[in-house]
Amino acid sequence: MFLFKTNFYIVVASMFLVVNLTNAQRKIYLSGEDATTAIDWGFKISEGRNSGFWTTIPVPSNWETEGFGDYMYGMDKLENRKLPVGNYQHAFNFSPKTNKRYFIVFQGSMTDTKISVNGKKVGLHQGGFTEFKFEITDFLKEGENNLEVEVNSSSTNESLVAAERFADYWMFSGIFRPVFIEEVAAEFIEHVAIDAKMTGDFDMWVYTQGVKNATTISAQLYDKEHHKIGKTFTSKITSEKTSLSANFKDIKLWSHEFPNLYSVEIELKNKKETLHTYKETFGFRTFEVLDHDGFYLNGKRLLLKGASMHCFRPETGRTLSKKDMIENVRLMQDLNFNCVRASHYPADAYFLRVCDSLGLMAMVETTGWYRPLDTEIGSKLVKEMVVRDVNHPSVVLWSNGNHMAHNPQLDAVFMEWDIQKRRPLKNEAKNNDIFANYKPAWDIVNTTYYPNYESIKKNLFEENHIYMPNETLHALYDGGGAANLKTYWDLFEKSKVGGGIMIWALFDEGLMRTDMGYTIDNQHNKAADGIVGPNGEKDGSYYGVREIWSPVVIDKDSIDASFKGEIAVHNKFSFANLNQCEIRWKLINFANPDGTVNGHRTVALGKVVADVLAGAKGILNINLPESFVNNDALAIEVYDPKGLLVYDKRIAITTSQRPVFRASMEADFIQNKTNNFSLQRDNITLNFDENSGQLLSVLDQGKESSIKKFPFLTFEAVDKNLVNNISESSKATIKKEGNQWIIESKNTKGFDFIKWTVKPTGEIILDYAYTLTKGAYNYAGIGMEVAASDVLRKRYRGEGPARIWKNRTEGGTLDVYAVDKLVNIPGEVYNQPEFEGCFAPWNWAVFYLKNNLNLGFKNNTNVVLGVLNPINGYDPKFASWSYPPQEGLFFFDYISAVGSKWKAPTEFGPDGQPNQINEQVKGSVSMFINWNKPSGKSERVNLEIE
């Protein structure tokens, strides 16, 4: 048996640094406060890995991530496995006071938890995700105390098993959130519920226990610097729930943009003294759900924008550190969210404190993924959830279960314990009728999951219910997420009943498994649902969501010498004037393909003062030097009132004459004496086909490279019976005009024409045109065969760093990027940004191949750069794309849309449709091969002189 001790005296000393009021409640932690401070307790598990003997385990933790029991995804079949029971033992020194009462508090223990102190049974709690407590005043003794906890990973309550142990996410077990002893006075304030409105009206329910001598309750408000706000206000104790009210002037409101917080100190008094002091943090704000209209915060209508999120980390499961929770909020703020759906169970208490302080609205949900809690156990758990979270200003809505887990009988429980009467939403599965068999006292907010474009239009413009799909644009692999989000969001902004969008989901929830070579297991396509990867790896949807939901929008993409310094801007903040933001401008010059640096240089900078009200359009006046025309781009950065960078726009300056590809020498290409269609310059030989004009091969120092067959026509018609003849050939021509060669062919290999212009500078220009049979195509363009194994890395100037699809073009930032070729398989191997796929817009690109062969391209029209062959994850459902099967590089005139897990791209509206090609297509790119290499090679001397 292992009995690990907590040094009570050290913990108490630290508590006095925070609270020096002897009659205030105190917390004495028996566990760590989070994953990084977990404390070892004695532990034995009944089944699975490392079962049947006493050892130790960190508390808090999930025992699966600590090497015990079995890994189990929620929908796994149990086969012959038994659900384990874990036994915990912990010894701690304690010195109870005679005039105090003590409660042991568990913030989360999965699922049935039996507690004993010093051999005496304290109580049983059922339910894994809510905070619960038992009084242990009569169980404690002076000196060493022994705590024993039995945790059954399942439950004897069938409703809890159905609600908590069957779900489309990882199942975890054990004491996974902190445990502490709460010390209070004999007569004490148990908890409070606060409603602090935007008007300054302050109402509070104060719940008391053990009152015998106390007669009044008084309260005093403080600001964040602990200055008194207003006067103390008092009420006589009426029962176990006493109401207090007051009004305050000139208060600062809480919002996601201005997260102003206050605190209230509440005193339980008799005529002579203060018996107990209780402190709570809150914010003044009013959140309203106006039926048939929308959501209002502090009188402003707003759309909620965010994603569903679980408490999760690959190495620690549901047990998070405080740093993890702060990072989660920061990540969502980087994505320009204003809200998060803390889905499928209540989030950590500390997470909501972070939402309060950093400014992020939250929707908090009862446990239950597929089946509802029964009313008896559900009422207890809803009470525990609401009592814990009622005072968070960040909490604006409750969620009464996930899809098909709604129990309408629990609505009244929310209302009973929530002084603010926040709306408990019903969530509904994608194929169900949310209005069937449910008639609450309010109009139903339509949260039905995974709508298509047509149902979104209907719900936003034909129906009259607030519309907020609480799971949509399923972000499996590289699909969904931001794909078609702009199309959807434009509709929501125009609608009179738009409520917002919650994307499914924030993270890929892959679990790190020691039995799989210490790799992350996403259960293939079950858990790889995120806008970002398990450790926050960013794919294209991350950047797309960030731009689409930016609170600042500038449409201008380029300027020239006629620019007078005025740029139109749309302020989409809900409350902030742009004069409350910091706006910076920079003139920047990008790195070029000849050098080794990447990114850009800032050559001039300044600040912009703009007075544009929230929700309004206005002008940024930027005082640029006259020399701005000689630079590559104007960058505009907007930092919100909290200091977060929310918008970074790079506007190209089209008058810039800065060189791009520079050759170290000019030398004519020489025609081969025996083959007119073979041209050589220095060590590079170009061999063209005399019939098609196609570049058949490239030789470097007389050796064949893997560069072949450029261009070939590549396309994919939706109708597989559509006929396009690409086999016919004619006769090409070659001639010299001045010091450059011209190679042309017509009506060959599917092209209307191919024209090469080979210059002595090393630039090889390809102009082409083709006419496909009229119809719908997934993609169309030209390609070059290059062995993928020969391509080592790339550099390019364009919008990046992530790839795009037809229905996800937003999110790129203009810069110079360098990326090594690394394997990337969505849901399996995370090496962001992805090397393969479609990239645009772009100016130039360089590919570094084996044997020091450099291959460069310049975009002369608006072709999309296609890099090798992107790999999709296992069984992507509809989260897939169309792309040429050949290995190589591509220059697309049309690219494919991408779907999401449950919807093909064609269901997402105009941007997700195939490309209608009804006329001739023209394009142009320039190619450079080893354009900037020295003509000679110096020999190394292996001699070192000291």
Side-chain angles (χ1 to χ4, degrees):
M1 182 181 296
F2 290 78
L3 294 176
F4 282 78
K5 298 182 180 180
T6 298
N7 189 331
F8 164 72
Y9 304 102
I10 293 176
V11 176
V12 170
S14 68
M15 291 302 298
F16 275 116
L17 295 175
V18 179
V19 180
N20 58 11
L21 300 171
T22 56
N23 55 3
Q25 74 269 29
R26 293 191 294 147
K27 290 181 180 180
I28 301 100
Y29 280 90
L30 302 180
S31 71
E33 293 188 40
D34 66 357
T36 61
T37 58
I39 293 173
D40 282 344
W41 289 14
F43 182 69
K44 182 173 75 171
I45 194 171
S46 64
E47 311 289 340
R49 297 173 299 158
N50 290 314
S51 60
F53 60 92
W54 282 99
T55 180
T56 64
I57 193 171
V59 178
S61 71
N62 292 122
W63 67 50
E64 292 85 355
T65 65
E66 292 296 326
F68 298 96
D70 294 298
Y71 299 112
M72 192 175 82
Y73 199 79
M75 296 188 293
D76 285 354
K77 293 181 179 179
L78 288 178
E79 301 161 347
N80 297 319
R81 287 182 290 173
K82 295 181 180 179
L83 289 170
V85 174
N87 286 279
Y88 296 79
Q89 294 183 340
H90 186 60
F92 59 97
N93 290 318
F94 206 80
S95 183
K97 299 174 184 177
T98 55
N99 62 339
K100 299 293 183 183
R101 293 174 67 176
Y102 297 93
F103 294 81
I104 190 164
V105 181
F106 285 71
Q107 292 194 299
S109 180
M110 194 87 186
T111 298
D112 282 4
T113 305
K114 296 178 183 178
I115 302 161
S116 298
V117 173
N118 295 323
K120 298 177 181 179
K121 294 181 180 179
V122 172
L124 164 69
H125 182 268
Q126 295 185 305
F129 293 105
T130 54
E131 181 175 299
F132 62 91
K133 65 171 70 175
F134 292 104
E135 185 166 6
I136 57 171
T137 306
D138 295 336
F139 299 87
L140 292 170
K141 64 182 181 179
E142 184 72 31
E144 184 171 281
N145 290 261
N146 295 324
L147 171 66
E148 295 176 292
V149 185
E150 179 187 287
V151 181
N152 187 335
S153 58
S154 186
S155 177
T156 59
N157 184 297
E158 292 182 3
S159 170
L160 273 173
V161 174
E164 293 192 358
R165 302 302 301 184
F166 179 81
D168 191 4
Y169 48 77
W170 288 102
M171 288 290 108
F172 293 106
S173 313
I175 304 171
F176 69 100
R177 287 176 180 164
V179 180
F180 58 86
I181 292 175
E182 185 177 65
E183 180 188 88
V184 297
E187 300 178 46
F188 68 98
I189 298 165
E190 184 180 25
H191 61 90
V192 301
I194 296 170
D195 184 12
K197 296 184 174 67
M198 61 178 285
T199 57
D201 290 331
F202 180 94
D203 297 295
M204 179 167 62
W205 294 340
V206 180
Y207 295 82
T208 53
Q209 272 199 37
V211 170
K212 295 179 180 178
N213 300 312
T215 57
T216 60
I217 296 171
S218 65
Q220 175 64 58
L221 265 59
Y222 296 88
D223 64 16
K224 64 178 181 180
E225 285 82 25
H226 205 65
H227 298 137
K228 286 186 178 181
I229 302 297
K231 296 180 179 180
T232 301
F233 53 105
T234 304
S235 178
K236 290 183 180 181
I237 298 174
T238 56
S239 63
E240 291 184 351
K241 183 178 84 173
T242 300
S243 297
L244 281 81
S245 297
N247 180 268
F248 297 89
K249 307 297 182 184
D250 302 322
I251 44 92
K252 295 179 179 179
L253 300 184
W254 185 96
S255 70
H256 54 288
E257 294 171 10
F258 297 97
N260 297 303
L261 293 175
Y262 292 83
S263 62
V264 58
E265 289 186 5
I266 309 128
E267 294 183 339
L268 184 67
K269 294 181 174 183
N270 60 23
K271 292 182 179 180
K272 296 181 179 179
E273 62 182 337
T274 297
L275 303 177
H276 185 228
T277 301
Y278 189 100
K279 185 174 181 179
E280 184 65 286
T281 302
F282 69 96
F284 283 96
R285 62 105 181 94
T286 300
F287 187 86
E288 300 170 282
V289 182
L290 299 187
D291 289 340
H292 311 292
D293 186 350
F295 300 131
Y296 285 77
L297 179 64
N298 300 333
K300 287 279 191 80
R301 187 172 182 271
L302 77 169
L303 297 173
L304 301 183
K305 48 185 181 179
S308 299
M309 181 208 73
H310 288 155
C311 305
F312 189 85
R313 280 296 187 275
E315 295 82 10
T316 59
R318 305 248 178 270
T319 303
L320 304 185
S321 70
K322 293 180 179 179
K323 181 172 178 280
D324 291 334
M325 290 180 258
I326 293 170
E327 286 178 351
N328 286 355
V329 174
R330 290 297 192 199
L331 171 63
M332 289 183 275
Q333 290 182 323
D334 284 345
L335 282 157
N336 285 316
F337 288 8
N338 62 17
C339 188
V340 58
R341 175 185 170 223
S343 56
H344 301 160
Y345 48 82
D348 299 78
Y350 185 82
F351 172 78
L352 294 175
R353 286 172 54 193
V354 177
C355 291
D356 293 342
S357 61
L358 296 184
L360 184 71
M361 291 180 285
M363 185 190 316
V364 179
E365 190 160 292
T366 55
T367 185
W369 177 77
Y370 186 68
R371 291 286 182 260
L373 295 162
D374 66 38
T375 302
E376 181 180 1
I377 190 70
S379 296
K380 295 176 183 177
L381 299 184
V382 168
K383 175 187 174 182
E384 289 172 346
M385 182 181 83
V386 175
V387 165
R388 192 199 73 171
D389 296 337
V390 65
N391 298 319
H392 291 288
S394 59
V395 176
V396 295
L397 291 164
W398 304 114
S399 181
N400 185 351
N402 186 48
H403 64 142
M404 301 179 71
H406 179 255
N407 179 349
Q409 300 302 316
L410 299 180
D411 285 353
V413 185
F414 285 95
M415 294 301 174
E416 178 183 357
W417 295 101
D418 183 8
I419 189 173
Q420 296 178 31
K421 308 302 180 187
R422 278 164 286 205
R423 184 73 59 89
L425 301 182
K426 177 186 179 182
N427 292 308
E428 191 53 82
K430 57 182 178 288
N431 296 320
N432 291 350
D433 180 0
I434 192 170
F435 302 99
N437 305 314
Y438 181 48
K439 298 187 182 301
W442 49 79
D443 188 60
I444 297 170
V445 175
N446 188 349
T447 61
T448 307
Y449 296 174
Y450 304 113
N452 60 23
Y453 180 74
E454 294 304 320
S455 62
I456 282 208
K457 285 199 302 181
K458 180 179 179 181
N459 287 316
L460 288 175
F461 300 105
E462 298 177 27
E463 301 293 337
N464 196 26
H465 312 284
I466 298 172
Y467 185 48
M468 181 175 65
N470 259 347
E471 290 183 16
T472 193
L473 296 171
H474 192 296
L476 175 67
Y477 298 154
D478 195 28
N484 284 104
L485 176 62
K486 180 67 165 61
T487 304
Y488 278 21
W489 197 245
D490 287 347
L491 295 177
F492 273 84
E493 289 187 322
K494 294 173 183 175
S495 171
K496 295 180 180 180
V497 293
I501 285 177
M502 294 292 129
I503 298 169
W504 181 264
L506 182 60
F507 288 105
D508 284 4
E509 292 178 14
L511 181 63
M512 185 66 75
R513 295 185 57 159
T514 56
D515 64 338
M516 294 177 63
Y518 198 69
T519 59
I520 287 178
D521 177 17
N522 273 306
Q523 288 277 295
H524 296 308
N525 62 16
K526 291 180 183 177
D529 301 344
I531 297 169
V532 299
N535 290 299
E537 299 90 346
K538 301 170 183 176
D539 64 19
S541 280
Y542 167 88
Y543 300 98
V545 169
R546 176 178 168 78
E547 178 179 323
I548 294 164
W549 279 348
S550 169
V552 178
V553 176
I554 294 171
D555 290 328
K556 187 178 286 293
D557 292 317
S558 64
I559 57 176
D560 56 24
S562 65
F563 179 64
K564 302 302 181 185
E566 292 188 349
I567 291 182
V569 63
H570 188 177
N571 177 4
K572 289 190 174 184
F573 281 106
S574 297
F575 302 98
N577 189 313
L578 287 188
N579 62 21
Q580 296 172 287
C581 302
E582 182 177 334
I583 305 175
R584 305 173 187 172
W585 65 263
K586 298 177 182 178
L587 289 175
I588 59 177
N589 286 333
F590 297 110
N592 64 60
D594 301 322
T596 53
V597 298
N598 303 301
H600 62 268
R601 293 175 286 115
T602 300
V603 297
L605 64 137
K607 292 186 178 181
V608 182
V609 177
D611 186 4
V612 182
L613 294 172
K617 294 181 180 180
I619 297 294
L620 299 183
N621 288 293
I622 305 174
N623 186 19
L624 297 180
E626 291 184 5
S627 60
F628 83 87
V629 293
N630 300 320
N631 300 116
D632 287 338
L634 169 65
I636 299 174
E637 298 173 348
V638 181
Y639 295 81
D640 74 3
K642 294 178 287 189
L644 303 176
L645 177 63
V646 296
Y647 192 59
D648 184 4
K649 177 79 172 187
R650 310 278 171 84
I651 301 172
I653 301 173
T654 58
T655 50
S656 174
Q657 297 297 316
R658 297 184 66 248
V660 182
F661 286 90
R662 293 174 288 200
S664 57
M665 63 175 184
E666 283 204 15
D668 288 349
F669 277 85
I670 306 301
Q671 189 176 40
N672 188 286
K673 293 181 179 179
T674 60
N675 182 356
N676 290 341
F677 286 85
S678 180
L679 303 176
Q680 183 175 351
R681 178 181 183 268
D682 196 23
N683 294 318
I684 295 298
T685 303
L686 310 175
N687 292 320
F688 296 90
D689 182 71
E690 63 180 8
N691 294 315
S692 66
Q694 185 182 60
L695 179 62
L696 291 177
S697 64
V698 174
L699 279 61
D700 182 16
Q701 296 182 344
K703 297 180 180 178
E704 268 202 21
S705 71
S706 65
I707 302 170
K708 296 177 181 178
K709 297 182 180 178
F710 182 43
F712 61 83
L713 191 59
T714 183
F715 55 85
E716 182 180 270
V718 174
D719 181 356
K720 304 304 178 186
N721 296 316
L722 210 62
V723 176
N724 284 283
N725 191 341
I726 59 172
S727 60
E728 287 186 2
S729 250
S730 59
K731 188 70 176 174
T733 63
I734 183 169
K735 62 182 177 181
K736 193 171 186 181
E737 292 183 354
N739 59 357
Q740 60 188 24
W741 292 94
I742 308 294
I743 302 169
E744 293 183 279
S745 65
K746 295 181 180 179
N747 302 318
T748 181
K749 299 286 188 180
F751 289 96
D752 297 341
F753 70 81
I754 294 173
K755 179 183 178 182
W756 294 96
T757 304
V758 183
K759 296 186 173 184
T761 59
E763 182 177 11
I764 306 161
I765 304 172
L766 170 64
D767 296 294
Y768 64 89
Y770 57 89
T771 303
L772 298 176
T773 302
K774 292 181 180 180
Y777 292 80
N778 291 319
Y779 63 83
I782 64 171
M784 165 194 284
E785 285 190 13
V786 179
S789 58
D790 277 9
V791 181
L792 304 177
R793 56 193 56 87
K794 69 180 179 186
R795 291 174 68 233
Y796 70 100
R797 171 179 157 180
E799 290 193 2
R803 65 188 176 205
I804 66 167
W805 301 108
K806 181 190 175 191
N807 53 347
R808 195 190 71 201
T809 59
E810 300 83 8
T813 301
L814 184 61
D815 215 336
V816 173
Y817 299 92
V819 184
D820 285 350
K821 191 185 74 174
L822 297 171
V823 173
N824 185 286
I825 305 174
E828 296 180 40
V829 182
Y830 296 87
N831 285 312
Q832 267 74 12
E834 300 89 347
F835 189 84
E836 299 89 353
C838 301
F839 299 85
W842 63 284
N843 303 103
W844 58 259
V846 178
F847 295 89
Y848 301 94
L849 279 57
K850 284 184 179 178
N851 301 316
N852 297 318
L853 182 64
N854 296 345
L855 180 60
F857 297 97
K858 182 162 65 77
N859 193 355
N860 300 325
T861 49
N862 291 311
V863 293
V864 174
L865 178 65
V867 181
L868 302 181
N869 307 91
I871 303 171
N872 210 344
Y874 171 85
D875 187 17
K877 306 294 184 184
F878 291 109
S880 56
W881 53 76
S882 295
Y883 199 90
Q886 302 97 324
E887 284 189 0
L889 304 175
F890 303 93
F891 304 94
F892 293 111
D893 300 290
Y894 298 92
I895 61 172
S896 161
V898 65
S900 74
K901 185 174 185 177
W902 303 121
K903 293 283 187 290
T906 51
E907 293 193 62
F908 287 127
D911 291 346
Q913 304 309 308
N915 305 284
Q916 290 293 328
I917 304 178
N918 299 317
E919 57 188 8
Q920 186 185 62
V921 179
K922 291 184 178 181
S924 177
V925 293
S926 291
M927 180 171 60
F928 300 82
I929 305 172
N930 285 357
W931 69 95
N932 195 17
K933 278 194 171 183
S935 55
K937 183 177 180 181
S938 59
E939 293 186 11
R940 286 200 177 111
V941 178
N942 294 318
L943 176 65
E944 187 174 359
I945 300 175
E946 294 185 2

